[in-house]
Amino acid sequence: MTARGFDATTSSPFFFEEEHHMLRAQVRRFVEEEIKPHADAWEETGATPRALLRKMGDLGFFGITYPAQYGGSEMDERGTVVLAEELGRCTYAGVAITVLVHTDMASVHIFNAGTETQKQTYLPRMITGELISAVGVTEPDAGSDVKGIRTTARRDGDHYVLNGAKTFITNGVLGDVFCIAAKTDPNGPPSQSVTMFIVEKGMEGFTVSRSLKKHGWNSSDTAELAFVDVRVPVENVLGQEGRGFYEIMKNFQNERLVLGAMAMGEAQAALEMTVRYVKDRKAFGAPLWEKQVIRNRLAELTTRVEAGRQMIYATAARAAAGEDLVREVSMIKSYCGELVNEVMYACVQFHGGMGFMRESPIERMARDARVQAIGGGATEVMLEEVAKRM
């Protein structure tokens, strides 16, 4: 399909403007020329190269929603959704998540809660790709349960002394700037005791304790981080002390919308790939496409993916208009995270034995998709968020 096919312009004309269609075409062209021909090697090395990230920064992909004064393009959530969906379509979800953590899950903490000095210090270089960011919330006992954070930060004069650990941190090995959540009031109410800090690579006592091997997303680097008496200057506090819980919750909404869009990009690419395969693959004297049960299942999944995409587009447009959409975003994260896995299961099945081979893209895509129902808010947690608002 061309960049101006059904999912670029003729689909959802009410939600997007010409700048969004241009962005979609540009990202899709970049994926075809700069990612797909090379990403198999990145799967083996376990990381997306910095050279690629700098190219993306130079093209403006890292500053889509940020103000022009920092080097951004001043677009809204609709632009973010376009970027996430097209990166999901690249079929290498590890590359996609490397980018999206930087653009929409980590650097946003500095933009949303940072002082003007912090923004001027970090955002321009994040937007160009000179600095790559990560966010450290997850711990063995604290993922979606942010109130369970155990990493501590104790005030000592003009510094805070940080101690603890984070795990499952995307961009944790190769990142430069980390937005780290720590408990600053051990005896305070859980929702008022967490603070966010800007921690830079190289600070004494801050180390990558190990690089993690994963079931999927193998072209993204993932780490456990350790903090042993790390002295973080007071001016590196992000937002107000004790307000970190609320900042994390606020940014979760953007993260979950982005992950939903990425998941639907993955699902759409898998379906298109599988339709091509079953139209070519012959069994029992005819292409598999001639089997009604296969056609109907692919048609059903395509319908559901389109429904998910349209909800994402509508929610992005409403968010851009200033609405608070925790309910809808939680629906998107739960629905799309489960649906992309259902799509991948069917697509592997219809590829037959080839779908189980490492040489087949659908095998990699199925592994990559599994975490979409876990990371950024597990399905069960998201459904509870919906239930609270029923």
Side-chain angles (χ1 to χ4, degrees):
M1 295 176 58
T2 66
R4 295 183 67 85
F6 82 90
D7 57 338
T9 57
T10 57
S11 176
S12 308
F14 302 107
F15 301 131
F16 296 119
E17 300 170 13
E18 185 60 26
E19 63 178 354
H20 302 111
H21 304 317
M22 292 172 64
L23 173 63
R24 188 184 294 276
Q26 186 183 25
V27 176
R28 191 172 295 189
R29 186 165 54 248
F30 184 87
V31 164
E32 293 295 330
E33 295 174 358
E34 302 289 347
I35 295 179
K36 285 186 176 181
H38 311 293
D40 281 342
W42 308 338
E43 289 281 304
E44 296 300 320
T45 58
T48 298
R50 292 297 287 264
L52 180 92
L53 301 178
R54 286 303 299 268
K55 283 184 181 179
M56 297 186 76
D58 290 341
L59 288 170
F61 295 153
F62 291 171
I64 288 174
T65 60
Y66 292 139
Q69 70 188 91
Y70 307 117
S73 301
E74 300 190 346
M75 296 175 74
D76 56 35
E77 286 85 349
R78 293 172 296 171
T80 294
V81 159
V82 167
L83 175 68
E85 185 181 358
E86 289 305 316
L87 288 175
R89 284 176 53 91
C90 85
T91 78
Y92 293 90
V95 178
I97 200 61
T98 296
V99 173
L100 295 172
V101 163
H102 173 61
T103 58
D104 288 279
M105 301 173 202
S107 62
V108 287
H109 279 278
I110 294 177
F111 177 68
N112 288 335
T115 65
E116 187 56 35
T117 297
Q118 289 170 339
K119 293 176 185 178
Q120 292 288 354
T121 299
Y122 296 106
L123 283 179
R125 290 186 291 162
M126 288 177 169
I127 288 170
T128 62
E130 179 185 348
L131 297 178
I132 297 300
S133 58
V135 58
V137 174
T138 304
E139 301 175 3
D141 296 316
S144 296
D145 180 15
V146 176
K147 294 177 182 178
I149 286 172
R150 294 185 179 180
T151 296
T152 62
R154 173 179 55 84
R155 180 73 180 260
D156 182 24
D158 293 335
H159 291 77
Y160 284 83
V161 180
L162 197 63
N163 282 282
K166 299 293 179 180
T167 193
F168 310 147
I169 306 304
T170 300
N171 298 345
V173 179
L174 301 177
D176 305 295
V177 180
F178 299 77
C179 299
I180 302 295
K183 186 162 287 189
T184 45
D185 183 1
N187 301 315
S191 64
Q192 299 174 35
S193 61
V194 174
T195 303
M196 296 295 293
F197 296 87
I198 301 172
V199 180
E200 296 185 24
K201 177 179 281 185
M203 285 184 171
E204 187 174 355
F206 171 33
T207 59
V208 175
S209 48
R210 68 183 177 121
S211 176
L212 300 172
K213 294 186 180 297
K214 307 185 295 297
H215 175 65
W217 282 5
N218 287 329
S219 45
S220 77
D221 66 279
T222 308
E224 285 184 356
L225 307 179
F227 306 91
V228 180
D229 293 333
V230 181
R231 295 187 65 81
V232 181
V234 169
E235 55 265 29
N236 282 34
V237 171
L238 259 177
Q240 298 178 24
E241 182 175 318
R243 296 288 299 176
F245 172 81
Y246 301 100
E247 292 298 333
I248 293 165
M249 290 297 104
K250 176 181 177 181
N251 288 324
F252 267 159
Q253 299 315 301
N254 186 69
E255 176 177 343
R256 290 162 180 168
L257 180 64
V258 164
L259 287 171
M262 175 183 164
M264 291 301 89
E266 295 174 62
Q268 185 65 41
L271 288 166
E272 292 174 6
M273 181 185 300
T274 303
V275 168
R276 289 193 298 269
Y277 183 81
V278 299
K279 285 185 175 181
D280 183 64
R281 174 77 167 90
K282 291 182 179 175
F284 305 103
L288 290 173
W289 181 252
E290 297 299 317
K291 310 298 181 185
Q292 186 180 41
V293 66
I294 291 177
R295 292 198 310 270
N296 285 359
R297 180 61 171 150
L298 290 171
E300 177 205 2
L301 290 170
T302 298
T303 301
R304 291 169 60 193
V305 168
E306 183 65 17
R309 291 168 67 242
Q310 294 300 323
M311 184 176 184
I312 290 165
Y313 295 165
T315 302
R318 291 172 64 190
E323 289 191 55
D324 184 15
L325 300 165
V326 175
R327 172 178 173 272
E328 288 78 3
V329 169
S330 300
M331 288 176 171
I332 285 168
K333 180 63 176 64
S334 61
Y335 176 79
C336 296
E338 293 295 324
L339 178 57
V340 68
N341 278 283
E342 192 174 343
V343 167
M344 294 302 173
Y345 185 96
C347 289
V348 168
Q349 183 75 11
F350 294 155
H351 274 76
M354 182 55 69
F356 200 61
M357 297 297 108
R358 280 290 175 106
E359 65 189 85
S360 172
I362 200 66
E363 183 274 338
R364 177 188 67 251
M365 295 172 71
R367 282 187 287 109
D368 285 345
R370 184 61 188 88
V371 75
Q372 290 281 19
I374 301 170
T379 299
E380 295 78 9
V381 176
M382 295 296 91
L383 292 175
E384 277 298 295
E385 291 300 314
V386 176
K388 289 175 187 175
R389 294 161 176 83
M390 289 173 63

